[in-house]
Amino acid sequence: MLLLSTAIASNNSSTNVSESDSRVAQQQQPVELLLAAEKRQISRDESGKEKISWNALPSNSQVIPGSVLRYTVTAKNNTSRNMRNLMVIQPIPNGMVYIIPSATALNTPGAKLEFSIDGSKTFTTQPIVRVRTRGGIIEERPAPADAYTHVRWDFGEALPANSKVMVAYQVRVK
């Protein structure tokens, strides 16, 4: 299994990666990994209609609470053979909350999308938490956005030779 994240790259080699706009060129073949961050800007056109644009976020940027960021990861298969069991795992950065349901695989339909609420120990398509009601009954409910700790895309057998995949997700600054 090939595992990619901001902390783990091909063959489980450790790599330090900034959680802002940064380029991570993996020296190990067969995978090149690029992480980029953008900040959402909202403006209005001449008719007053809301217009959303995304602007690159330089590494020394400061963001204020309520800002929405989009992280995009590009994983490129630099080999002449198909990649099997490729996964991209991204942590939800500290001080940020995942925006449900913003995670997407931009150019690879069929990627399995899963989430963790326990620091990446387990993943599921729909995280559930147990809560005690006023009557003392324990119920299962969908996990709130602030419980999400990681996003994972599983590409299975889906990365052909000399190709790339792009995944993205959004967070809100607390």
Side-chain angles (χ1 to χ4, degrees):
M1 178 184 309
L2 186 61
L3 186 64
L4 299 176
S5 79
T6 56
I8 302 173
S10 62
N11 300 324
N12 293 329
S13 301
S14 293
T15 304
N16 291 328
V17 177
S18 167
E19 290 179 336
S20 60
D21 180 30
S22 63
R23 184 173 281 274
V24 182
Q26 298 299 321
Q27 297 304 316
Q28 307 91 355
Q29 291 297 324
V31 177
E32 182 179 327
L33 191 61
L34 171 69
L35 173 65
E38 300 167 297
K39 182 178 176 186
R40 183 178 72 181
Q41 298 292 321
I42 299 175
S43 59
R44 300 217 177 260
D45 64 16
E46 292 139 8
S47 65
K49 185 177 177 183
E50 191 172 85
K51 182 178 155 187
I52 296 175
S53 59
W54 295 93
N55 298 322
L57 192 63
S59 59
N60 59 351
S61 294
Q62 293 186 356
V63 291
I64 59 172
S67 296
V68 173
L69 307 180
R70 177 173 62 188
Y71 286 99
T72 304
V73 179
T74 303
K76 184 178 177 189
N77 177 358
N78 289 324
T79 71
S80 60
R81 64 187 191 284
N82 291 345
M83 186 79 56
R84 295 178 176 236
N85 300 318
L86 174 71
M87 290 186 186
V88 174
I89 301 174
Q90 278 297 111
I92 305 304
N94 290 332
M96 299 187 190
V97 175
Y98 172 67
I99 297 176
I100 298 171
S102 66
T104 60
L106 302 173
N107 62 345
T108 310
K112 183 178 180 184
L113 179 60
E114 297 179 306
F115 306 93
S116 178
I117 59 173
D118 61 8
S120 79
K121 293 176 188 155
T122 61
F123 285 86
T124 182
T125 56
Q126 296 180 346
I128 301 292
V129 293
R130 291 189 173 106
V131 296
R132 186 177 304 272
T133 65
R134 290 183 188 175
I137 298 170
I138 296 178
E139 293 181 354
E140 290 186 346
R141 297 186 181 163
D146 62 357
Y148 285 57
T149 62
H150 291 76
V151 182
R152 177 171 78 181
W153 296 264
D154 183 346
F155 294 94
E157 312 272 331
L159 188 57
N162 299 305
S163 67
K164 65 182 177 180
V165 292
M166 293 176 64
V167 296
Y169 67 103
Q170 296 174 31
V171 294
R172 182 178 319 281
V173 179
K174 290 183 185 178

